[in-house]
Amino acid sequence: RLPLETKSNTKVKEYVPYRNLVLTAHSVSLAAALGLDAVIVGSKTDVPRDNDPYSFRDSSHEFFQRLGDTVNYATERGKMPVAIIMPLRGWSKARVVEYLTFHDVQHSQLWTCYEDVLEPCGVCYHCEEYRKALCDPNVQAAMYRAIR
């Protein structure tokens, strides 16, 4: 794990500067090389929230839209640019978990913990957010339907 000093709206240790820029740019490059027409990102953030230390500008809809504009600009003439698609935009963690449960994704395949551990720690912000999502009535209903 790299120790990072950051200048951001956050003081959380999980912050990695430009992470989504690097990962998405690499994904777009790979997609173009493979002849694919889109990259799907899993971010849910519609707009960054200044009061939320886990809300980063490089995970927002505006960020991915601007990055998509850059991809369009950088694409060679006659080539089709790779689209950046954000299907979970505006979704809550509970809605994501409900959707995955409905589509038979096993909860053991999900990972939300940001701690450097082999098993989810169960106490960090992201584990707590996941635990709250599991208590959501819609998630409970989807889980009930899944076991029937």
Side-chain angles (χ1 to χ4, degrees), residues 62-138:
E62 180 182 3
F63 169 79
F64 288 112
Q65 192 172 38
R66 287 181 180 209
L67 186 56
D69 291 343
T70 301
V71 169
N72 287 338
Y73 177 79
T75 301
E76 297 176 36
R77 286 195 178 108
K79 301 280 185 181
M80 190 66 159
V82 174
I84 300 172
I85 301 171
M86 194 178 169
L88 306 179
R89 176 183 172 198
W91 286 27
S92 66
K93 178 73 76 178
R95 185 170 177 198
V96 172
V97 173
E98 176 190 1
Y99 178 86
L100 293 173
T101 301
F102 180 79
H103 289 283
D104 296 323
V105 174
Q106 299 301 308
H107 290 253
S108 62
Q109 295 177 318
L110 303 177
W111 186 275
T112 61
C113 186
Y114 272 41
E115 295 297 321
D116 186 17
V117 292
L118 296 176
E119 295 290 326
C121 72
V123 296
C124 71
Y125 176 87
H126 300 283
C127 285
E128 181 63 27
E129 185 182 39
Y130 179 68
R131 185 173 29 259
K132 287 178 183 176
L134 290 175
C135 295
D136 182 272
N138 293 326

Side-chain angles (χ1 to χ4, degrees), residues 14-28:
E14 298 91 345
Y15 180 70
V16 178
Y18 308 113
R19 177 187 68 170
N20 288 325
L21 173 63
V22 172
L23 293 174
T24 308
H26 179 72
S27 298
V28 165

